[in-house]
Amino acid sequence: MPDTYDHITLMCRLKAAQRRNKELESGERYIQLEELHQKEYNVYEHKIEKLKKELADAHKETIRVRNYWFQVLEDMLREFEKAQKRSAQELRKMEIRALNAEKQRDDALDKAAVFRHQFYEAASRLEEEQGISVRPDGWKTEYFQRHDKQTKSGVCFKN
């Protein structure tokens, strides 16, 4: 039985080899291999094209996002510059107001100095004419006390 088995096995192998030989001689095997290779090539070519498209899309998206960020930064810069201009204008207004307030204060101080000078002149005349001692804290009180005494005694002041 082993001989029959070996013989059948060898015959199957021989037929397969003959078929393969015939395929190679006729070019069928080459055509099959070429078709198989073409299918694999097409699959890989499709993958490459798909990856190229994804890469191009990613590049476009990168450019779009970068342009968007540049636009955002430019907008922010414009807003910042506007805020700076507004702040500078406000500062100029405040400086003008401060200068005006200082001028008004200086004018008021000048007027107060004039009034003080007039007061001291009047107080000096009053002291000379009526003998009233003028002190900043009590001149009115002393003046009115003397005035009351003099009016009660019948003496009136002339202005």
Side-chain angles (χ1 to χ4, degrees):
M1 190 113 161
D3 289 330
T4 309
Y5 178 75
D6 287 338
H7 179 49
I8 293 174
T9 304
L10 286 175
M11 289 303 283
C12 285
R13 284 186 182 173
L14 177 63
K15 280 187 181 182
Q18 286 173 342
R19 191 172 5 104
R20 186 173 283 153
N21 193 25
K22 186 178 179 185
E23 287 173 354
L24 288 172
E25 285 177 357
S26 68
E28 276 183 48
R29 181 72 179 152
Y30 175 75
I31 292 171
Q32 289 174 351
L33 290 174
E34 175 110 21
E35 289 173 357
L36 181 63
H37 171 71
Q38 191 62 40
K39 285 180 186 176
E40 289 180 4
Y41 176 81
N42 289 341
V43 168
Y44 284 112
E45 188 68 27
H46 179 69
K47 284 182 183 179
I48 289 171
E49 290 302 316
K50 183 179 175 185
L51 290 172
K52 282 182 181 179
K53 185 180 180 310
E54 288 176 4
L55 180 63
D57 289 346
H59 184 67
K60 286 178 188 175
E61 181 68 10
T62 301
I63 291 171
R64 187 186 71 77
V65 168
R66 184 178 57 219
N67 289 340
Y68 175 74
W69 277 108
F70 279 138
Q71 185 63 42
V72 167
L73 291 175
E74 288 172 1
D75 291 346
M76 289 175 64
L77 181 62
R78 276 193 292 268
E79 287 296 320
F80 177 71
E81 288 171 350
K82 284 180 186 176
Q84 276 186 321
K85 285 180 184 177
R86 283 192 302 266
S87 296
Q89 289 173 348
E90 190 66 29
L91 179 62
R92 274 186 245 123
K93 287 179 185 176
M94 292 175 84
E95 286 173 345
I96 290 169
R97 285 179 61 197
L99 290 174
N100 288 339
E102 286 178 11
K103 185 178 181 318
Q104 288 175 355
R105 186 200 68 194
D106 291 343
D107 291 346
L109 288 174
D110 289 345
K111 283 182 184 178
V114 168
F115 287 136
R116 212 174 14 259
H117 181 67
Q118 289 173 352
F119 165 75
Y120 285 124
E121 283 179 3
S124 295
R125 271 186 279 135
L126 186 62
E127 191 173 338
E128 286 174 12
E129 291 174 4
Q130 297 179 7
I132 297 174
S133 174
V134 178
R135 293 177 295 191
D137 58 342
W139 75 269
K140 285 184 178 179
T141 307
E142 187 176 330
Y143 172 78
F144 287 119
Q145 285 173 351
R146 286 190 180 207
H147 180 69
D148 286 344
K149 285 180 189 175
Q150 288 175 355
T151 49
K152 288 179 185 173
S153 66
V155 179
C156 290
F157 292 103
K158 292 181 183 176
N159 289 337

